[in-house]
Amino acid sequence: MPNRFARVLIVVVSVVGLATALPARTGDVGAIASTDLLVGDSVMAGMSSASRASLPNHVFDAKVCRRLVSTSCSYRGTRPVPALDVIRGWSGVTNRSIVVAAGYNDGAISGAVDAVVAEARRQGVPNVVWLTYRVAGGNAGIYRSHNSVLWQKAAQYPELTIADWASYSAGRSSWVAADGLHLTGSGARAMADLIGVVLAGLPPLGPPRIDPGADACFAVSGGAGSAALVNLTPVAAGGDGHGVLTSSSGEATATASNVNYRPATADPNVAVTPIGGDGRVCYRNGEHAPVHVVADQLAAIDGGAYTPAGRDGLPKRRLDTRRTGQRVAAGGSVCFTVAGEPGDAAIVNLTPIGPNGSGHGVLTSGDAEPPTDASNANYRPGAVDPNVALAPIGPDGTVCFHASTHTSVDLVADHLGSIDGDAFEPANADGVPLRLVDTRDLGAAVAPSARHCFPAGDAGDVAVVNLTPVRATAAGHGLLVGSATERAADASHVNFAPGSADPNVAVAPIGPDGRVCFVNSEHASVHLVADLLGVLDPSIVRWPSADGTPVRRLDSRAG
């Protein structure tokens, strides 16, 4: 990411009369309309609507006595809402930048800058513009310290741009009142001019997110009638929501989902659906919030070996304990029927919700005991992280979810479809997952850009593995490949960050030595837990690439 200091220093030289409109994007997509949020204290409050007339579309909220994060001081019996709460209140409205001109009532701002940037990230707002402070009045030393903090934070956060009001207004006594801080009419126009030029210099907004209720369709390989196996990653969400993968030939509305998302999350999950007659599948967004989606095709399954849960190819909700009022107890189980024949492998999307603490769960055949050292889903308070599981359908037509002994939890289970039993061999005879590796036991994490290989079955078969990256030192991603594959694709199976434990299912051709390999991105060290769910007969799998690595089919951020 280029350093922004040079751009800011150029901006402060001369601003009056420069255009403030966003430049048009090249290519098919025109410029995206922006909405900026201007939040400030009594200094910014001096900017009248007339002085802001030249600015692009914006929301303005500036109040006397406002503080950044802590309780504001009182002015004429009123305490304004802190700036951070204002920013939170406009979540989903601002799509380009948050402009901050507050802090004159604060003794320190370091933590507040961190909090504002974190909130911008949570909302998917790509830019924070922060005005420096005039070094004047009885608190000049504090404001000088504020400015020093801002420049340090600008080097730390790529989305933080400094609008250097202190330098730009230096020596302009006519722009400020006698206290050297508050704006006169000419000062208000000058501050608006500075903000306008900095906004005009921001990168143009990319393509719009997928609207609530809208479809984003894309071509996949495998041929009409086959089932596309796709890794979906929702990012930059404008609020809480969910989405589903469907055939381009289907028009039915789903009552189930493949992915859940929130602002600032990047939680991938595998989905499967029949390929439409035009060779495409579609991501169908829920009705709640806009979101960008990254879709990587993992494989296609021969249509003769796969039966969708419903004729329309959409998932079918089989269980929601929130409706029954019977949570899965700590150490307890819940079984439910799925479509298919006993012995077929049911593909089920598991979404644990509202646990009282951290825990995990596993899906098994209806007549199997749960393993003690493997899992399909991890959960913690406040998170909604679905994950796909595979389990043989029991003799009674059921599969069962078993919760760990840590906490009770609600469960939503959506059946995606089933693979013929003749084409799927479970990891264990009773259908429960098999733990293949836990690098925490080895005492060595997977280093950046390194790979960790492990046995998974017979050469040429297709391994279906649940990957759980844990204890990451920074944000990153990873990919499962066959041991014979040397390259890393421009795609991923799992995303991770410090404190996360978000599993996801991956498929890869088993190499000549009987192994598959986890390939780490260059960003961070991470420990890996890998559980084998089973292996697929290679005759039913169509890879999107020659070496079996995923292929990126959609990234709505790129248009």
Side-chain angles (χ1 to χ4, degrees), residues 220-432:
V220 290
S221 62
S226 296
L229 198 65
V230 179
N231 194 51
L232 298 174
T233 306
V235 294
D240 294 358
H242 60 269
V244 67
L245 188 72
T246 177
S247 170
S248 61
S249 301
E251 297 182 357
T253 301
T255 57
S257 64
N258 294 117
V259 289
N260 290 59
Y261 53 79
R262 290 180 171 179
T265 62
D267 296 326
N269 200 23
V270 169
V272 58
T273 194
I275 301 171
D278 58 359
R280 300 192 303 165
V281 296
C282 301
Y283 170 80
R284 180 166 297 164
N285 197 18
E287 69 276 13
H288 298 99
V291 69
H292 278 300
V293 169
V294 178
D296 298 331
Q297 185 182 6
L298 308 186
I301 301 173
D302 185 81
Y306 175 78
T307 303
R311 285 180 297 176
D312 54 10
L314 289 168
K316 296 296 182 182
R317 181 141 297 172
R318 296 300 183 182
L319 177 70
D320 186 342
T321 62
R322 297 172 301 179
R323 296 185 181 277
T324 65
Q326 296 180 331
R327 286 164 65 86
V328 187
S333 302
V334 60
C335 300
F336 49 94
T337 58
V338 290
E341 299 296 327
D344 287 350
I347 306 174
V348 181
N349 195 54
L350 302 173
T351 306
I353 300 174
N356 297 321
S358 296
H360 59 269
V362 65
L363 189 74
T364 71
S365 177
D367 59 349
E369 291 294 322
T372 58
D373 62 349
S375 63
N376 294 114
N378 289 44
Y379 43 85
R380 62 188 186 278
V384 183
D385 297 325
N387 196 34
V388 160
L390 275 77
I393 301 173
D396 60 355
T398 67
V399 291
C400 301
F401 174 82
H402 307 268
S404 66
T405 58
H406 303 94
T407 178
S408 64
V409 66
D410 275 309
L411 177 71
V412 176
D414 297 331
H415 184 209
L416 309 186
S418 298
I419 298 174
D420 285 355
D422 291 341
F424 176 78
E425 181 180 351
N428 283 299
D430 56 3
V432 300

Side-chain angles (χ1 to χ4, degrees), residues 421-450:
D422 291 341
F424 176 78
E425 181 180 351
N428 283 299
D430 56 3
V432 300
L434 173 66
R435 179 139 298 172
L436 298 178
V437 64
D438 187 340
T439 60
R440 297 172 298 184
D441 296 338
L442 303 176
V446 186
S449 300

Side-chain angles (χ1 to χ4, degrees), residues 486-546:
E486 297 183 358
R487 73 182 184 97
D490 182 22
S492 63
H493 288 117
V494 288
N495 291 54
F496 51 80
S500 69
D502 297 325
N504 199 23
V505 168
V507 294
I510 301 174
D513 58 359
R515 300 192 303 167
V516 293
C517 302
F518 174 79
V519 182
N520 193 13
S521 68
E522 72 275 15
H523 304 96
S525 295
V526 67
H527 279 287
L528 175 70
V529 179
D531 297 331
L532 180 67
L533 306 186
V535 293
L536 295 172
D537 187 323
S539 67
I540 71 164
V541 177
R542 306 289 181 266
W543 297 111
S545 61

Side-chain angles (χ1 to χ4, degrees), residues 4-14 151 162-164 167:
R4 295 193 175 190
F5 290 116
R7 185 175 73 194
V8 173
L9 292 175
I10 292 171
V11 163
V12 301
V13 174
S14 176
W151 291 112
I162 305 301
D164 197 353
S167 296

Side-chain angles (χ1 to χ4, degrees), residues 98-306:
I98 298 166
V99 181
V100 180
Y104 285 100
N105 300 302
D106 291 80
I109 66 167
S110 180
V113 177
D114 295 338
V116 169
V117 171
E119 177 61 19
R121 290 177 174 178
R122 188 192 73 80
Q123 295 183 24
V125 179
N127 301 289
V128 175
V129 175
W130 208 296
L131 275 68
T132 58
Y133 304 85
R134 282 183 58 87
V135 180
N139 291 326
I142 293 177
Y143 304 147
R144 184 178 292 107
S145 176
H146 285 4
N147 289 337
S148 177
V149 168
L150 282 180
W151 291 112
Q152 293 171 13
K153 295 294 184 181
Q156 177 182 351
Y157 295 122
E159 59 263 79
L160 179 59
T161 296
I162 305 301
D164 197 353
W165 173 244
S167 296
Y168 181 59
S169 64
R172 302 279 191 161
S173 59
S174 64
W175 288 1
V176 292
D179 62 4
L181 303 175
H182 292 86
L183 303 176
T184 63
S186 58
R189 291 188 294 273
M191 180 176 282
D193 286 338
L194 174 62
I195 292 171
V197 170
V198 173
L199 293 179
L202 296 177
L205 292 177
R209 293 175 288 196
I210 302 169
D211 287 333
D215 286 359
C217 299
F218 50 95
V220 290
S221 62
S226 296
L229 198 65
V230 179
N231 194 51
L232 298 174
T233 306
V235 294
D240 294 358
H242 60 269
V244 67
L245 188 72
T246 177
S247 170
S248 61
S249 301
E251 297 182 357
T253 301
T255 57
S257 64
N258 294 117
V259 289
N260 290 59
Y261 53 79
R262 290 180 171 179
T265 62
D267 296 326
N269 200 23
V270 169
V272 58
T273 194
I275 301 171
D278 58 359
R280 300 192 303 165
V281 296
C282 301
Y283 170 80
R284 180 166 297 164
N285 197 18
E287 69 276 13
H288 298 99
V291 69
H292 278 300
V293 169
V294 178
D296 298 331
Q297 185 182 6
L298 308 186
I301 301 173
D302 185 81
Y306 175 78

